[in-house]
Amino acid sequence: MGQVVGQVVGQVVGQVLLRLPPEPQSWLIEAGLTDTNPVIISRLFVAPRGRKQGLAEALFQTAWAEAERRDLRPVLDVHHKNHAAIRLYERLGWQRRATVNGNWTDPDGTVPRVHVYLPPR
């Protein structure tokens, strides 16, 4: 749907994208998102050489603003072990609304827990 990349000295060191939620959307309903037009802010990543420069927050804010510009309702699905991302989202006021089972299997064979966040109102 849309991707933004971050660069440091001409090299791509980060990315974020907006993606439509997969069907079915029961996990979104469980999180209390019953309105239309949800979009997931996804795949926020900053390589080690790009960290500690505010790039993750800048990429995230850009994706969030773009979702709202398109009149879409941004939502996050965050692996429960992704503590750095969770700290960022909560610092920016996003609220955990549910924890659900992921729809994939981790490399160790377990089904991960996924936290669902909605933006501050």
Side-chain angles (χ1 to χ4, degrees):
M1 163 157 230
Q3 177 175 316
V4 177
V5 297
Q7 296 184 12
V8 173
V9 192
Q11 293 185 344
V12 174
V13 294
Q15 72 168 13
V16 66
L17 60 94
L18 297 174
R19 66 181 170 88
L20 296 176
E23 296 291 335
Q25 300 175 19
S26 60
W27 61 275
L28 291 173
I29 294 168
E30 187 174 333
L33 185 66
T34 57
D35 56 346
T36 58
N37 296 327
V39 66
I40 301 171
I41 299 176
S42 185
R43 305 219 189 263
L44 175 59
F45 175 80
V46 176
R49 69 180 175 273
R51 294 183 185 157
K52 307 287 187 205
Q53 301 176 49
L55 186 56
E57 182 172 344
L59 287 167
F60 181 74
Q61 295 276 19
T62 299
W64 183 2
E66 180 62 18
E68 290 181 342
R69 187 188 72 76
R70 294 182 185 199
D71 292 323
L72 300 170
R73 176 80 185 272
V75 63
L76 300 168
D77 57 346
V78 185
H79 192 291
H80 75 281
K81 292 182 180 178
N82 195 340
H83 303 292
I86 290 168
R87 281 191 303 274
L88 171 65
Y89 305 144
E90 290 181 354
R91 181 172 54 79
L92 295 175
W94 284 64
Q95 300 166 356
R96 186 182 308 176
R97 298 293 296 270
T99 300
V100 299
N101 286 328
N103 61 355
W104 71 91
T105 303
D106 276 344
D108 66 3
T110 62
V111 174
R113 298 295 286 163
V114 177
H115 301 311
V116 180
Y117 282 83
L118 296 179
R121 288 272 179 193

